[in-house]
Amino acid sequence: MDKVGKYEFLAEPFHCDFNGRLFIGHLGNHMLNAADFHSTARGFGMKYLMTIKRSWVLSRLAIEMIEMPTQYTKFTVETWVESAMRYFTSRNFRVVGHEPTGNGNESTPKVYGYGRSIWAMIDTESRQPTDIFSIDNGAINDWIEKDKECPIDKGGRVKMDDQAELVCTIDTYYNDIDINGHVNSVKYIEHVLDLWDLAWYKEHQIKRFEIAYVAEAHQGDQLSFYRTASGDSEYCVRICKEGDVETCRSKVTFFD
């Protein structure tokens, strides 16, 4: 079995925005599914971990796109483990399609973009990080691929001060909650991107989206979204639940 997993998806029309391009939230969901398919096939996926009261939890995600797949386009998400430490592992993604060359059935690879992620493994009862290498005698080390390129920035701490504007506060419901019992990672992405209206997206396309998860939120929690401009076409967002407890931070960069 190859160290790099390759999984085909379709940009379904109802997963695309008004421009006919895949929502970045759905792309993020495909990346997370690819990560699960890859880890499950190699013996350290969620299906097995749940039997021993363990689970993967996404800590950071960065997606940087050249362009988004259009509706009905088939594309492949490649994923591989770049490194592993006791409590965290780094996993990368490449999103590729194929362009006809005009010469019969021949085509050339087309790179849509890349992703970087960091994951922690937690004990589902204590909710605390647990030793990744304790799973199957550290079998994850057998699947590390250091030579495959992922040319996008790893990202860093999203810096914000107390001057950020409160844009909105929302309630959380059944559809926000995932298998781990907390607000789904992709739901945060969707809520952040809803801070800009349709008129904005008629003039701007997302170049890069990154998010760092700090604390869990659960059904019934109210989430408050604070936003500040941090550069040309770049915005930082802080999400807090009641008591001003920060749940995550995000940075969104749009094409100029």
Side-chain angles (χ1 to χ4, degrees), residues 20-41:
R21 295 191 176 276
L22 187 66
F23 279 113
I24 200 166
H26 282 290
L27 177 61
N29 196 61
H30 292 323
M31 287 180 170
L32 301 193
N33 280 328
D36 184 57
F37 298 155
H38 180 271
S39 57
T40 294

Side-chain angles (χ1 to χ4, degrees), residues 201-227:
Y201 286 108
K202 289 180 178 179
E203 303 292 334
H204 302 83
Q205 292 185 38
I206 300 166
K207 178 181 181 181
R208 179 181 172 93
F209 183 95
E210 56 184 281
I211 188 165
Y213 301 95
V214 180
E216 295 178 328
H218 303 89
Q219 191 272 319
D221 285 338
Q222 282 194 324
L223 300 178
S224 297
F225 293 75
Y226 299 84
R227 182 180 64 189

